[in-house]
Amino acid sequence: MARRSTSSSTGRPTGNPSGPRNRTPQPVRVRRRTFGDFVKAFLAFVALLALVVGVPGALAMTVGWPLPHSAPKMDWLSQPIGVDTFLNTLTVIVWLAWAQFTACVLVEVKAAVSGVGLPGRVPGAGPSQLLARQLVAALLLVGATAASLTPGLSQLGHSMEGNQKGTVAAAQATPGLLAQQQEQAKSTAAALAEQAGHAAAQAQAEHGSTAAAHGATKYYRIQPPEGRHHDSLWEIAQRHLGDGRRYKEIYELNKDRIQPDGSRLSEASLIRPGWIMEMPGDAHGGELVENPDAHVSPDVQQQIGDYARTGDHAQQHQQQGGQHAGEDGATAQISVPSQRQAGGAGTSAHAHDASGHSSSGSASGSASGSVFGSAFGLSEALLGAPLLAAGLLATLGRRRRQALWQSALGAVGGRRGMEPPTPTGDAQDVQDALLVGADPEGVRLLDRSLRGLAAALTAESRSLPVVYAAWLSHGDLHLQLAQPAGKPPAPWQLGQDQTFWTLTRADAERYGDTDAAAPYPGLVSLGTMDDSRLLLNLEAVPGIVSLSGREADRAAVFASVAAELATNGWSDRMTITLVGFGADLTPLAPNRLRHLDDVDALFEAMEAETRQRRGALGAAGHDSVLTGRTGPAQHTRWAPNLVLLAAQPSAEDAVRLAELAADAARLGIGYLVGTESADLPGASWAMEITPDGKLLAPLLGLELDAQLLPAVQQRAVVELFVEADPERDPDGPTNAPPFLVDISEQGRPAVYARLVGPYEIMGLDTPDGDRSALLHEALALLLLHREGVHPRVLSSALWPRGVTEDVRDALLERLRAWLGTDPDGSPRLRADATGRLMLAKSVVSDLDVLRSLYYEATQGKGVDSRAVRGRLLTDALVLVRGPLLADRAEGRYRWLTHEIIDAQLPLLVADIGLALSAFHLEKDRAEKAIEALGAALKTAAADERLWNELLRATHATGDPDRVRALAADLVARSGARGLPPRTEALLDELLPTWRESAAATG
């Protein structure tokens, strides 16, 4: 569909599909040089003179040469240390400190004079070099002549006092100068307030005619970035024309003219270091160069001369309407990566979408299939969000395991080993959608790829580049950088230009686990575009990201972003601050999600955190949180805080937000703010969500199919997590198994499958051919889910890369034929009222029998009869032959990673062993108790409760040698971790001398 048109700040439509238009930068107020600046420069000169010249002069006059004039003899070491020796040693230290500071001054001056990037770092001279940098900057920023020789420092002086919020290539504050950053924030707030009061004047200025040129033609050369500060046309106009709003005059003079690197200026927000800009005639300032100018190098003169001859061509090109503008220009700031050539590496017979799923996989999902009648679907929002679904599913599984393990700490009996509550209604549909839509392999590869990149850069002593976005396209990962960062480490490669780093899926699969910190935890999925999935790095955006649209549509985007950030698998630690929504989302990640009631609470929290982070970065000597995520400090700090403000802020609050966000990207803080209109003061990137689910960002050239989490699905997801909360109603009623079988002689099943141990099936003929393994796997999945399995869940489990409906239906028909019918003629594989696949009660597994026996022993007939309880527990333990599906083939049954049966079965076996041990110890049958516990330990060897009970049973035999032998075995098993505290306390009670024996053995 055509892109929806929106109004830009110039009043023109921005819906041109040929390319994005530039957002008019916000006006800023630049402080002129004052008398105080000259005073600071004079004081800086005096300080440099005193430190560089005065210190060595004073040392030479007062102390003299501190080192011996000849080689000392060995007896010098035994002489007492006198006052002279102490003073000479102290003098040497001062000389070394002076030499280090002088080296810092020379490095800073050389970098300032050369104007090439950041100065080099003097080893071990963080505070000294920072002081030298500030003194040199204060000295050189006064005069125009000095400014012309020091482009990096001259930009520093101006940029620190202006608003750093641009559009895409927005300038950001140079790190390290905290006082100037605070002044910058104040200037930003004042500028935004002035903007609101002078909107009419701004509009008139934007449509005014270009100022008449006078004097010689002047040129400006775009300077290389200084830290995280980048040159922009707005700042150039502010410095040299006195008004940032005149940036359009510079743009029109240079539009589509060939630059020294062969490219063209096609977007006002996209300029590159080394480009030349012709300036209006009234431009002023020491950084400008007139043509010809003898003060610049011959190479620069040649470039300016060549560029000057392109003026007529540019004017003619503009008269033709600019029809070809941008064809050879720079790529859009957030642009879809170039696709690989057909048949290239990594392609396969199936077309894969951005998540790695097969595009044909969706074909399996529209209905339950012709074999089983009525068609029904699942939440398309979650089916189309593979990374979000994988994160939610993994976190939900951990939560359910935690509930099982926590309940296992209680007394014998009760809920342990039993199924968690079975979801129903919307919650069941959402759980099925998570199972179908999740792409855990994609999450794993993304996480390993990013951590592998961080580890490789650390090994090369390189900092992490600023990443604005990541694209997952046909299995490959593309990182879009804020600026070129050189050649990426292998196996990463340069993409379509210097701002793209690309990793193929084949290379990503070779990455292993690493202990590197997560480099880009702020990446979050926004949607898909041209079969590519976009993840925006919220913490790297230079300012605020605004989201406009209807309230319900905005809420769906905010919920999706919050849920994925809270549960994603490519971050370590993170804080997500929710304001104006999401109080019910807290159960998803109580340790990550923080809900604040209103904007006032947000300001109170974030102003304090902003100050704290600035101070921490300064104290650690880091430029930004990215440099803090590599090296020794990578695991100690720099976790992002991403603020999601759903409610529209007032005009005054918007000013305060802009002030907070002015330096946020450097500090690892991101802001996503909802707004009713497209114009939010202080917003760097503006997005709009439409009623038809499109996420538009015309200034960035994006039109995405948005990733959403609508209100119904949001409530259902929260319900799943609330039901899995281990702290929820711990004394509530015990959940019965979902399927109880008749354990009497009359209850013999027609089909009996043994899953606990090697997989065996009785009552059915073995299928012939290669489809036997697939049929066995499908039957195992159905046996583990007696509540029913959605056909799409079954097909996605058996074919993770996708399958067509005809293949799935053919398998289901073969499975139904294999299972056969009951004596009454009803099929043993059927569909319930909702269309989910279910097995008849005549098809039973040993796990069903195991659960039923334990339930009857502890909550049924065995409660009132000791003899019945002992018989049922003994029969249950006999069924345990090993772990679940012990002989399953490698590469199959991958869906078990989504299950909690791996935690349920050991707990259930441990509960049976503990109950049977207690049954025998009541009659002082210690050997029988030891036998029962030993049988349970074969399946649940990591259960501490079994070992502690084994200690008690062994102690009950009255043989201290057996207790000592068991204690030694436990100590050997524990290794370097040591024994658990409860086991140590029990040994202290039963065998006080165990520590001595362990020490002697060790």
Side-chain angles (χ1 to χ4, degrees):
M1 60 175 287
R3 233 179 239 165
R4 183 174 175 177
S5 298
T6 58
S7 296
S8 68
S9 56
T10 63
R12 297 188 300 246
T14 60
N16 185 3
S18 64
R21 294 184 184 272
N22 183 58
R23 182 187 181 91
T24 302
Q26 308 297 328
V28 297
R29 181 183 298 170
V30 175
R31 183 171 60 84
R32 304 294 182 183
R33 295 191 181 99
T34 64
F35 177 73
D37 294 329
F38 289 93
V39 172
K40 291 179 183 178
F42 175 74
L43 293 177
F45 173 76
V46 172
L48 284 173
L49 189 64
L51 292 173
V52 177
V53 180
V55 169
L59 290 174
M61 293 179 62
T62 57
V63 181
W65 183 251
L67 299 177
H69 294 281
S70 61
K73 300 179 180 179
M74 294 301 296
D75 58 356
W76 175 80
L77 297 175
S78 60
Q79 294 179 0
I81 299 176
V83 176
D84 292 340
T85 304
F86 177 77
L87 291 177
N88 287 339
T89 303
L90 184 61
T91 303
V92 170
I93 295 175
V94 176
W95 272 107
L96 293 175
W98 169 83
Q100 184 189 60
F101 178 77
T102 303
C104 294
V105 172
L106 294 176
V107 168
E108 294 296 330
V109 171
K110 178 180 180 298
V113 172
S114 64
V116 179
L118 281 172
R121 289 188 176 182
V122 178
S128 298
Q129 189 164 5
L130 179 60
L131 175 62
R133 182 178 304 170
Q134 292 175 334
L135 292 175
V136 173
L139 179 63
L140 295 182
L141 284 175
V142 174
T145 302
S148 67
L149 296 175
T150 58
L153 291 175
S154 63
Q155 292 173 27
L156 178 66
H158 291 287
S159 65
M160 281 301 155
E161 296 161 1
N163 179 23
Q164 301 308 307
K165 187 207 72 63
T167 54
V168 177
Q172 300 182 19
T174 300
L177 307 182
L178 301 182
Q180 292 184 353
Q181 291 165 358
Q182 294 170 358
E183 183 178 354
Q184 170 207 1
K186 296 178 182 178
S187 300
T188 301
L192 290 169
E194 181 184 10
Q195 171 195 350
H198 295 82
Q202 175 184 351
Q204 181 179 359
E206 288 176 349
H207 292 87
S209 60
T210 304
H214 57 82
T217 304
K218 301 175 183 179
Y219 296 89
Y220 176 85
R221 198 173 190 199
I222 305 301
Q223 301 300 328
E226 178 78 11
R228 299 185 72 191
H229 173 274
H230 305 263
D231 226 342
S232 68
L233 293 186
W234 176 274
E235 288 192 339
I236 296 170
Q238 187 70 56
R239 290 198 302 269
H240 301 296
L241 300 176
D243 187 352
R245 292 171 296 188
R246 293 183 62 186
Y247 81 97
K248 291 186 176 181
E249 299 177 28
I250 306 176
Y251 173 66
E252 292 299 333
L253 283 172
N254 298 275
K255 179 181 178 183
D256 298 321
R257 295 171 65 175
I258 299 177
Q259 293 292 334
D261 61 0
S263 55
R264 304 173 188 266
L265 173 66
S266 61
E267 295 289 339
S269 60
L270 298 174
I271 58 177
R272 297 179 178 177
W275 281 10
I276 297 170
M277 295 290 114
E278 181 178 340
M279 301 292 290
D282 60 338
H284 58 274
E287 296 174 338
L288 300 179
V289 177
E290 296 184 1
N291 188 31
D293 192 329
H295 296 290
V296 297
S297 66
D299 292 341
V300 174
Q301 290 187 44
Q302 180 66 36
Q303 289 179 0
I304 293 177
D306 294 342
Y307 186 74
R309 287 190 289 272
T310 66
D312 294 337
H313 166 74
Q315 183 177 4
Q316 179 183 2
H317 193 88
Q318 293 168 12
Q319 290 174 352
Q320 294 173 354
Q323 296 177 358
H324 304 285
E327 289 181 0
D328 300 322
T331 59
Q333 184 64 25
I334 301 296
S335 54
V336 179
S338 299
Q339 304 299 321
R340 290 173 295 169
Q341 297 294 328
T347 58
S348 65
H350 296 285
H352 289 78
D353 64 14
S355 68
H357 281 53
S358 169
S359 60
S360 62
S362 60
S364 68
S366 62
S368 61
S370 59
V371 177
F372 296 98
S374 63
F376 65 103
L378 298 173
S379 169
E380 294 298 331
L382 291 173
L383 293 177
L387 304 183
L388 169 61
L392 288 171
L393 199 60
T395 306
L396 181 61
R398 289 193 297 268
R399 189 71 51 83
R400 286 172 171 171
R401 289 182 177 90
Q402 181 184 0
L404 288 171
W405 293 330
Q406 186 165 324
S407 66
L409 298 178
V412 175
R415 182 179 175 182
R416 288 157 318 287
M418 299 302 164
E419 293 283 342
T422 302
T424 58
D426 290 336
Q428 186 178 24
D429 290 339
V430 161
Q431 179 172 276
D432 288 338
L434 293 177
L435 290 168
V436 175
D439 182 18
E441 180 67 11
V443 171
R444 185 183 68 86
L445 290 178
L446 176 61
D447 180 47
R448 286 187 173 184
S449 300
L450 295 177
R451 293 181 192 269
L453 174 63
L457 290 172
T458 299
E460 297 178 5
S461 299
R462 296 170 61 184
S463 298
L464 291 167
V466 178
V467 169
Y468 278 158
W471 292 91
L472 290 171
S473 179
H474 297 273
D476 298 342
L477 173 61
H478 309 261
L479 298 183
Q480 189 162 3
L481 314 184
Q483 64 185 47
K487 184 179 179 181
W492 290 78
Q493 301 175 358
L494 286 175
Q496 60 201 50
D497 58 39
Q498 295 289 324
T499 62
F500 272 94
W501 285 6
T502 299
L503 182 70
T504 65
R505 185 182 182 94
D507 290 332
E509 289 173 346
R510 288 196 285 268
Y511 268 121
D513 292 329
T514 176
D515 61 351
Y520 304 112
L523 286 170
V524 63
S525 304
L526 292 184
T528 57
M529 178 180 182
D530 297 339
D531 296 328
S532 297
R533 183 170 302 279
L534 170 65
L535 289 85
L536 182 67
N537 190 5
L538 280 181
E539 68 167 334
V541 175
I544 295 173
V545 179
S546 67
L547 177 66
S548 60
R550 299 188 312 181
E551 183 177 0
D553 299 325
R554 296 201 315 264
V557 175
F558 273 102
S560 171
V561 170
E564 184 168 300
L565 289 174
T567 61
N568 73 49
W570 54 87
S571 64
D572 297 322
R573 296 178 298 113
M574 185 189 306
T575 299
I576 303 107
T577 302
L578 310 180
V579 187
F581 84 106
D584 293 334
L585 288 175
T586 306
L588 271 59
N591 295 329
R592 283 193 180 187
L593 290 169
R594 174 177 63 171
H595 181 263
L596 300 179
D597 294 331
D598 51 35
V599 178
D600 291 337
L602 172 66
F603 287 135
E604 181 179 354
M606 297 310 300
E607 285 173 352
E609 181 166 347
T610 299
R611 289 192 300 268
Q612 181 182 7
R613 289 191 175 224
R614 281 175 178 161
L617 281 175
H622 290 298
D623 296 334
S624 71
V625 296
L626 289 180
T627 58
R629 286 183 188 149
T630 55
Q634 58 179 306
H635 292 292
T636 58
R637 56 187 73 148
W638 323 126
N641 188 343
L642 304 175
V643 178
L644 308 182
L645 174 57
Q648 161 117 17
S650 63
E652 180 181 354
D653 290 338
V655 171
R656 294 182 65 185
L657 275 176
E659 178 180 346
L660 278 174
D663 197 26
R666 187 177 75 89
L667 303 177
I669 303 175
Y671 291 88
L672 177 62
V673 181
T675 176
E676 297 176 359
S677 61
D679 296 324
L680 179 70
S684 296
W685 293 354
M687 300 186 297
E688 177 190 4
I689 179 64
T690 66
D692 58 351
K694 295 292 184 180
L695 189 66
L696 308 179
L699 304 180
L700 304 178
L702 295 178
E703 180 179 338
L704 305 172
D705 293 322
Q707 179 171 296
L708 307 172
L709 186 58
V712 174
Q713 283 73 37
Q714 177 184 338
R715 288 192 296 268
V717 166
V718 172
E719 180 182 340
L720 289 174
F721 278 80
V722 170
E723 290 292 333
D725 186 0
E727 302 293 337
R728 181 176 180 268
D729 196 15
D731 299 324
T734 300
N735 295 310
F739 179 67
L740 291 173
V741 301
D742 184 357
I743 57 177
S744 66
E745 288 294 329
Q746 293 75 27
R748 290 184 177 273
V751 177
Y752 182 67
R754 304 178 74 180
L755 305 179
V756 185
Y759 192 1
E760 299 176 6
I761 299 178
M762 288 170 280
L764 292 177
D765 295 331
T766 301
D768 297 329
D770 297 333
R771 299 187 181 94
S772 175
L774 203 60
L775 291 172
H776 278 73
E777 186 174 355
L779 179 57
L781 177 62
L782 292 167
L783 286 168
L784 292 177
H785 290 277
R786 304 303 305 227
E787 73 278 7
V789 177
H790 196 294
R792 298 181 72 173
V793 173
L794 178 66
S795 60
S796 65
L798 300 180
W799 295 281
R801 292 182 175 271
V803 67
T804 56
E805 285 189 24
D806 58 336
V807 174
R808 182 202 63 195
D809 291 347
L811 172 76
L812 293 179
E813 185 61 40
R814 282 191 292 270
L815 180 61
R816 187 176 66 165
W818 180 45
L819 291 175
T821 60
D822 284 331
D824 62 358
S826 59
R828 291 173 180 153
L829 178 62
R830 62 193 68 170
D832 66 4
T834 66
R836 286 176 169 80
L837 304 173
M838 298 184 68
L839 293 172
K841 291 184 178 181
S842 58
V843 182
V844 174
S845 73
D846 56 353
L847 186 58
D848 297 326
V849 178
L850 189 68
R851 287 166 169 161
S852 300
L853 288 170
Y854 179 65
Y855 180 80
E856 285 294 332
T858 57
Q859 300 177 54
K861 299 175 182 178
V863 174
D864 300 324
S865 173
R866 170 180 167 80
V868 172
R869 181 168 72 253
R871 178 175 56 82
L872 292 174
L873 291 172
T874 302
D875 291 345
L877 201 56
V878 169
L879 291 176
V880 180
R881 301 175 299 122
L884 186 76
L885 299 169
D887 58 350
R888 62 179 179 266
E890 183 179 358
R892 304 205 69 90
Y893 299 88
R894 291 183 177 179
W895 46 268
L896 282 173
T897 58
H898 298 315
E899 307 286 341
I900 62 170
I901 187 62
D902 59 336
Q904 289 175 300
L905 180 58
L907 287 175
L908 176 59
V909 172
D911 283 346
I912 295 172
L914 291 170
L916 188 56
S917 173
F919 173 81
H920 290 305
L921 288 176
E922 288 177 0
K923 296 297 184 179
D924 296 326
R925 295 195 292 262
E927 294 297 341
K928 288 287 187 181
I930 293 173
E931 182 182 351
L933 293 169
L937 281 169
K938 293 179 181 179
T939 299
D943 198 306
E944 179 190 355
R945 299 172 302 154
L946 289 174
W947 290 106
N948 291 348
E949 193 64 20
L950 184 60
L951 279 171
R952 294 188 181 94
T954 305
H955 182 266
T957 63
D959 186 349
D961 291 336
R962 292 181 66 177
V963 179
R964 276 191 289 270
L966 180 56
D969 184 35
L970 284 174
V971 172
R973 288 174 179 271
S974 64
R977 295 175 301 174
L979 292 173
R982 294 186 180 187
T983 304
E984 284 191 354
L986 181 60
L987 280 173
D988 289 337
E989 174 66 23
L990 302 179
L991 188 65
T993 61
W994 74 273
R995 297 180 188 273
E996 299 174 3
S997 301
T1001 303

